[in-house]
Amino acid sequence: MNATGAALHLYDGVDFTSLTWLEHKWVDWYIYMGNPVIATGLMSFLLHEIVYFGRCIPWIFVDAIPYFRRWKLQPTKIPTAAEQWECTKMVLFSHATVELPAIWLFHPVADSIGMATYQVPFPSWQTMAPQILLFFVFEDTFHFLGMYGSPHTYYAFSLEVPIAHSALHRGVLYKHIHKVHHTYPAPFGLAAEFAHPAEVFILGAGTIIGPLIYCYLTQNLHIFTVYVWITLRLFQAVDAHSGYGTYFPWSLHNIIPFWAGADHHDFHHMAFSNNFATSFRWWDWLFGTDTKYRAFRKKVKATKAAMKGATSAQLLEVEKKLQNAAEAEGAAEEALVVKSAAF
């Protein structure tokens, strides 16, 4: 029996008349490929590349059009073509050396813990929505408490229990790994996955461990749900690095107040510390790792309010000075972290 014939047997007993157009295409893909491992691996990698770069391209055009500078968080810092190309090369290298092997191994791991892959029909949106929300919360918690806490949150509560070890913002790990991601004080969409290969692996773990644990415990997860989750996570990551924040008309933060968004993460790159979470603002608020950010925003708002009648150019100049001061303070803090590295 050839591979296609074997793949057809995967769908014995399936009522094809009840399937949607997308579910039919899903079946066609797995039958055409003839091997679920290859089909899942290739589809997963293509999904990641298409979604990531597909979401980055609009921001490249936005950065190239002066009209949008009015919503740019750091409007005097526009990425050059050379910077974007260097960033793209590093991202492609990480995708080929880290993400491709990990994605290719995903099907065997997922299948071993009971995740549905080639099966149809897909779960309903009522099933998928709470699962995806849980993955967002898990990833955000993993990212903040597990990897990016600040020195001020290393010990929390009176018992001094280590809540966030702040690994990637300390000493050797920052100097040799996370510093790559902080190359750009004014990030742009393509820089979302501009990172050391080791950090790419860590970030990927935070995204996929949640679904794997959930599947292991519940035996109720379809890879299609994981694909929707990864698509939304990539949108979140690229948008958070876009450089267009709170005042941008389509900013999700305008709809969901506790959503972090670009305004939140842009400050992290500009000022080095503060705002360590990815999707939500509650961990930074709870552990006090957004105090500099909130003070900065309050100062910008008060300064502009006091300049009634000022031109837009004058307001821009004042905000630029405040941003430069925050960036200089962050650069000094970063230098101390690098200096503290043992090697």
Side-chain angles (χ1 to χ4, degrees):
M1 182 182 295
N2 60 29
T4 300
L8 280 170
H9 281 288
L10 296 174
Y11 299 101
D12 288 344
V14 173
D15 179 11
F16 289 96
T17 62
S18 66
L19 300 182
T20 65
W21 176 86
L22 184 58
E23 288 165 343
H24 273 287
K25 295 304 177 184
W26 189 270
V27 171
D28 290 344
W29 170 257
Y30 275 95
I31 291 175
Y32 172 77
M33 295 304 297
N35 185 312
V37 176
I38 296 175
T40 302
L42 184 57
M43 181 162 53
S44 300
F45 185 70
L46 289 175
L47 172 81
H48 182 276
E49 299 307 286
I50 292 170
V51 172
Y52 182 76
F53 288 107
R55 185 54 183 159
C56 287
I57 289 172
W59 290 118
I60 293 174
F61 284 106
V62 167
D63 272 328
I65 301 173
Y67 171 80
F68 291 103
R69 306 282 160 78
R70 68 190 70 189
W71 294 303
K72 180 77 170 170
L73 292 164
Q74 300 183 60
T76 60
K77 296 179 180 178
I78 307 300
T80 65
E83 287 176 327
Q84 296 194 60
W85 175 234
E86 286 301 312
C87 183
T88 301
K89 289 190 293 183
M90 179 67 172
V91 169
L92 287 172
F93 175 78
S94 295
H95 285 185
T97 59
V98 179
E99 296 194 13
L100 179 58
I103 287 173
W104 208 259
L105 291 172
F106 181 76
H107 180 98
V109 174
D111 188 61
S112 70
I113 61 174
M115 186 182 297
T117 52
Y118 61 84
Q119 293 88 339
V120 288
F122 299 145
S124 66
W125 69 267
Q126 293 95 332
T127 298
M128 291 193 293
Q131 292 174 341
I132 293 169
L133 177 59
L134 180 63
F135 300 156
F136 263 111
V137 173
F138 178 90
E139 189 281 332
D140 190 65
T141 303
F142 175 93
H143 194 93
F144 181 84
L145 299 186
M147 300 313 303
Y148 286 101
S150 85
H152 302 294
T153 63
Y154 185 70
Y155 291 105
F157 312 121
S158 58
L159 296 179
E160 293 192 339
V161 178
I163 296 298
H165 59 63
S166 57
L168 293 183
H169 264 264
R170 288 179 171 237
V172 173
L173 292 181
Y174 179 78
K175 180 180 179 180
H176 298 291
I177 296 179
H178 190 48
K179 194 175 190 298
V180 174
H181 187 62
H182 275 264
T183 298
Y184 305 105
F188 45 95
L190 281 166
E193 292 188 352
F194 178 81
H196 189 282
E199 182 173 352
V200 173
F201 180 81
I202 293 168
L203 294 178
T207 299
I208 207 62
I209 284 177
L212 290 177
I213 293 175
Y214 179 87
C215 182
Y216 178 78
L217 294 176
T218 68
Q219 296 292 294
N220 179 31
L221 185 64
H222 198 290
I223 198 171
F224 182 77
T225 306
V226 178
Y227 284 171
V228 175
W229 149 239
I230 289 174
T231 298
L232 294 175
R233 173 71 177 101
L234 287 171
F235 268 58
Q236 179 276 324
V238 172
D239 289 0
H241 290 81
S242 67
Y244 294 84
T246 303
Y247 304 111
F248 199 62
W250 302 287
S251 175
L252 189 57
H253 177 64
N254 295 330
I255 303 171
I256 306 174
F258 53 83
W259 183 256
D263 174 68
H264 193 259
H265 194 66
D266 197 86
F267 185 85
H268 175 76
H269 277 264
M270 181 178 71
F272 179 69
S273 64
N274 267 217
N275 298 1
F276 296 95
T278 53
S279 298
F280 307 112
R281 299 186 178 218
W282 51 56
W283 287 123
D284 284 303
W285 175 81
L286 181 62
F287 287 103
T289 52
D290 65 350
T291 52
K292 290 183 179 179
Y293 163 73
R294 286 188 285 116
F296 172 79
R297 281 290 156 217
K298 185 177 180 180
K299 188 173 184 179
V300 169
K301 185 177 180 179
T303 302
K304 287 184 174 182
M307 296 177 62
K308 292 181 179 180
T311 64
S312 58
Q314 290 172 324
L315 294 174
L316 178 63
E317 185 62 29
V318 167
E319 185 165 3
K320 179 183 175 182
K321 288 180 180 178
L322 294 174
Q323 289 176 342
N324 289 341
E327 185 177 339
E329 184 179 345
E333 186 175 341
E334 179 189 30
L336 289 176
V337 171
V338 172
K339 187 177 181 180
S340 70
F343 59 89

